[in-house]
Amino acid sequence: MLNSLCPMTANPHATDRTESLERGVPRHVAIIMDGNGRWAETRGLDISDGHHAGYENIRRVVADFSNRGVRFLTLYAFSTENWNRPESEVNGILGLAIAVIAHETRELHQSGVRIRHLGRVDRLSPELRDQLEQAVRLTKDNVGLTLGIAFDYGGRAEIAQAARRMVEDGVAANEVDEQKFNEYLYTSGMPDVDLLIRTGGDFRISNFLLWQTAYAEFYSSETWWPDFHGEHIDRAFSAFKDRNRRFGKRI
Ligand code: IPE
Ligand code: IPE
Ligand code: MG
């Protein structure tokens, strides 16, 4: 799957902000992988087939983004709100997640991918929690693409837990600033998102990376997630390149 990944450089985490951005390539891409249900519906398939096709696409896009020079890729796989879906669908997604992590981790590791889990762990089954923790542990020293898997992730929950943990750690009020918050978020050590992609045609953030997308460029694609790869990514990158990122300045 990842044979086509680009060779990993000696210390990509030190890649300075300007390097990829100057080439018009976003350093950190985050994706709201939406549209699995509609993809299945239009084909007369079951929702579980849609989620399966969605997971299959992850294999493709990790290679696609890495090959295009992206250093950080964060994928929204399951939100804190997705627990409210029918039990059979939730169980299907959880089962699929276990299978995918079990199946893909070795190859990702061999390709130098560093896996991070972003989200709560306390509501996951012991099996899924173990799989995730093992994948994170195994790949933690890798220096290739950092792959953030947002699973049982909610932006508001993340910010609330960061505040709670700061209080628990006895952080003094005058030490609480943006830098300190960054250290306590799930994404600690990762740069802000440059490009936020949503597939499936909606223009909503759905509680994803509320803090980290403060100055992200937003790109919405009509394409449903299982079909979003290759040329669709090129189109998103081309749109990103044309954006004028002012960060509040007069440029
Ligand atoms: C996104 O696809 C996957 C998850 C939220 C887990 P959906 O299942 O939301 O697909 P649509 O929006 O119903 O088409
Ligand atoms: C967002 O998709 C969550 C994930 C892609 C994991 P949803 O389908 O859950 O979002 P809404 O309900 O349309 O906002
Ligand atoms: Mg959806």
Side-chain angles (χ1 to χ4, degrees):
M1 149 208 172
L2 292 172
N3 293 344
S4 54
L5 282 179
C6 62
M8 305 308 176
T9 53
N11 186 6
H13 301 308
T15 306
D16 111 300
R17 186 172 175 72
T18 50
E19 201 177 293
S20 61
L21 285 171
E22 263 173 16
R23 286 183 285 116
V25 174
R27 193 160 69 134
H28 186 175
V29 177
I31 309 184
I32 302 173
M33 308 184 290
D34 198 21
N36 293 350
R38 284 162 287 171
W39 182 92
E41 204 180 319
T42 54
R43 286 164 173 76
L45 298 172
D46 192 75
I47 179 73
S48 60
D49 298 315
H51 290 312
H52 195 271
Y55 273 107
E56 284 290 312
N57 194 41
I58 291 178
R59 321 173 90 228
R60 279 189 285 262
V61 296
V62 170
D64 282 351
F65 280 102
S66 187
N67 290 338
R68 285 165 176 76
V70 169
R71 307 304 320 169
F72 297 85
L73 177 65
T74 299
L75 302 176
Y76 204 7
F78 192 80
S79 74
T80 48
E81 289 73 30
N82 288 148
W83 291 106
N84 298 319
R85 292 192 178 196
E87 202 181 334
S88 58
E89 183 180 351
V90 169
N91 286 338
I93 292 172
L94 298 178
L96 200 50
I98 292 170
V100 169
I101 297 164
H103 200 253
E104 302 297 332
T105 300
R106 182 181 295 271
E107 211 167 326
L108 289 169
H109 180 48
Q110 281 165 1
S111 304
V113 172
R114 180 174 65 145
I115 298 172
R116 297 269 303 259
H117 170 236
L118 318 179
R120 288 176 64 163
V121 286
D122 56 303
R123 299 191 289 192
L124 305 180
S125 67
E127 196 182 359
L128 180 52
R129 194 165 45 216
D130 284 354
Q131 293 270 7
L132 273 170
E133 280 169 3
Q134 270 181 42
V136 169
R137 209 177 315 119
L138 177 72
T139 62
K140 72 177 177 19
D141 296 324
N142 288 346
V143 292
L145 176 90
T146 295
L147 176 63
I149 301 172
F151 203 102
D152 199 5
Y153 175 88
R156 286 183 169 182
E158 177 183 36
I159 292 167
Q161 73 88 35
R164 194 169 53 246
R165 285 185 43 224
M166 276 190 266
V167 173
E168 284 166 2
D169 285 356
V171 175
N174 63 3
E175 287 174 33
V176 177
D177 56 14
E178 293 178 21
Q179 175 55 39
K180 190 54 91 182
F181 254 98
N182 272 325
E183 288 168 23
Y184 276 84
L185 296 173
Y186 299 131
T187 49
S188 157
M190 294 168 72
D192 279 352
V193 175
D194 297 302
L195 175 62
L196 173 63
I197 296 173
R198 181 168 187 137
T199 62
D202 283 315
F203 291 79
R204 254 202 304 287
I205 200 152
S206 300
N207 202 12
F208 190 39
L209 298 175
L210 300 179
W211 176 283
Q212 299 86 345
T213 54
Y215 261 104
E217 294 297 326
F218 187 70
Y219 181 86
S220 175
S221 166
E222 288 287 330
T223 305
W224 294 316
W225 171 249
D227 293 330
F228 186 88
H229 47 260
E231 71 195 66
H232 302 283
I233 297 173
D234 291 335
R235 256 178 253 150
F237 276 26
S238 160
F240 178 80
K241 222 173 189 161
D242 288 343
R243 301 281 175 88
N244 183 5
R245 303 186 78 193
R246 288 187 291 276
F247 295 98
K249 297 178 210 150
R250 188 168 305 288
I251 300 176

